[in-house]
Amino acid sequence: MISNKPIILFDGDCAFCNTFINYVIESDGGYFKLATQNSEQFNLIAGSHGINTTGDETIYVVQGDQVFQKSKAIRIILSKLDLKGRLMAFFMQLIPRFIADFGYGIVSKYRRSIIKQTACSLPSQNFRSRLV
C-alpha cells in the first residue's frame, strides 16, 4: 500500500487544479496525500485501481480499494476541510449527482481558461511533503 491516507489524484499542470489543491493543503490538517497526473506514483495508483486516465480531465480520491471521481471526489475532499469547505460539501450533497457531475464536466472542460496562468508556482515544502 502506498499510503494509509486517502490520496487525491489530480492534474498537476493546471493552475485551476493547483489553486484548489493549495486550498486543500491549507485546510485539511494533513488528511490527504497527493499524486499529480504526470508522476510515476499517479500511474501506479491509477493502474492498480483500474482507472483509465487517457484524455482524462477528472479528479480522483482513492480510499483503500474505493475510487471516487468528479463531483463525488470534490464533495469528499471538501467535507474534510475547514468550515467553508464543509459547508460547500453539505450544499453539494443536496444536488443530484448527475447534475453535479454535469457541472463538474463544464468546469473541467474550461478550467484552463478560468485561471489564465501559463505557469504554476513552485511547489512549497508543505506541498512536496504531501506527495506519495
Side-chain angles (χ1 to χ4, degrees), residues 59-79:
I59 192 169
Y60 297 93
V61 172
V62 177
Q63 288 183 297
D65 292 336
Q66 294 183 299
V67 178
F68 304 96
Q69 63 181 339
K70 299 183 180 182
S71 66
K72 178 73 173 180
I74 295 293
R75 190 165 55 83
I76 288 170
I77 295 165
L78 290 172
S79 72

Side-chain angles (χ1 to χ4, degrees), residues 26-82:
E26 293 170 7
S27 306
D28 77 339
Y31 186 81
F32 292 103
K33 293 298 259 181
L34 309 168
T36 61
Q37 195 169 24
N38 55 358
S39 72
E40 186 176 315
Q41 293 299 329
F42 180 102
N43 293 324
L44 179 67
I45 296 164
S48 69
H49 286 83
I51 301 170
N52 179 3
T53 61
T54 305
D56 203 355
E57 297 181 340
T58 302
I59 192 169
Y60 297 93
V61 172
V62 177
Q63 288 183 297
D65 292 336
Q66 294 183 299
V67 178
F68 304 96
Q69 63 181 339
K70 299 183 180 182
S71 66
K72 178 73 173 180
I74 295 293
R75 190 165 55 83
I76 288 170
I77 295 165
L78 290 172
S79 72
K80 302 300 181 186
L81 303 183
D82 58 10

